[in-house]
């Protein structure tokens, strides 16, 4: 059984930082691309960042470029999202996902999802 478990969410002030982690089990982690999505109340789930299984190529949505960094550790089956200079608009539930598709910017590109972790940025 595949499981993705996120951690690291919480309440932070504007300009602060958080580091989200996601531990995977039940899959050959190194062969999957990994992504982070977020969903704010009343909004659709949106792409945040992704990292390919090969060569570690990364992708980011424009609103987080220069502030967020996605990374993976295949030895520990983990993917992380370092979030700096946080803004109130970053408030959402953050989900990690694992997939095999070419298009990593949309939810259908992923086969497995975590349960999410809440990030709240207060002003």
């Amino acid at each position: 059984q595949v499981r993705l478990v996120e951690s690291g969410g919480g309440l932070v002030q504007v300009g602060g930082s958080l580091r989200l982690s996601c531990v995977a089990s039940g899959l050959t982690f190194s062969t999957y691309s990994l992504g982070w999505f977020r969903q704010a109340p009343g909004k659709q789930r949106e792409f945040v960042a992704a990292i390919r299984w090969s060569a570690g190529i990364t992708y980011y949505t424009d609103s987080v470029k220069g502030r967020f960094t996605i990374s993976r550790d295949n030895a520990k089956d983990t993917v992380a999202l370092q979030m700096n200079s946080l803004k109130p608009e970053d408030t959402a539930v953050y989900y990690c996902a694992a997939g095999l598709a070419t298009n990593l910017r949309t939810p259908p590109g992923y086969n497995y999802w975590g349960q999410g972790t809440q990030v709240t940025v207060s002003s």
Side-chain angles (χ1 to χ4, degrees), residues 62-83:
D62 286 346
S63 63
V64 308
K65 285 180 180 177
R67 300 189 298 123
F68 290 11
T69 303
I70 188 171
S71 61
R72 64 188 296 162
D73 185 339
N74 289 340
K76 297 182 178 179
D77 291 355
T78 60
V79 58
L81 185 69
Q82 178 66 42
M83 305 186 296

Side-chain angles (χ1 to χ4, degrees), residues 42-123:
K43 295 187 177 181
Q44 290 187 335
R45 190 168 299 190
E46 66 169 350
F47 169 76
V48 176
I51 184 166
R52 288 211 177 271
W53 70 274
S54 63
I57 298 171
T58 58
Y59 307 88
Y60 298 93
T61 192
D62 286 346
S63 63
V64 308
K65 285 180 180 177
R67 300 189 298 123
F68 290 11
T69 303
I70 188 171
S71 61
R72 64 188 296 162
D73 185 339
N74 289 340
K76 297 182 178 179
D77 291 355
T78 60
V79 58
L81 185 69
Q82 178 66 42
M83 305 186 296
N84 299 327
S85 302
L86 283 161
K87 304 176 180 180
E89 52 263 43
D90 295 318
T91 295
V93 177
Y94 283 71
Y95 299 88
C96 72
L100 300 172
T102 301
N103 185 352
L104 300 176
R105 293 179 177 269
T106 62
Y110 296 85
N111 305 84
Y112 304 105
W113 292 84
Q115 82 289 348
T117 186
Q118 177 70 47
V119 171
T120 303
V121 184
S122 67
S123 55

Side-chain angles (χ1 to χ4, degrees), residues 26-37:
L27 76 168
T28 306
F29 185 82
S30 61
T31 66
Y32 280 78
S33 296
L34 288 306
W36 286 96
F37 286 73

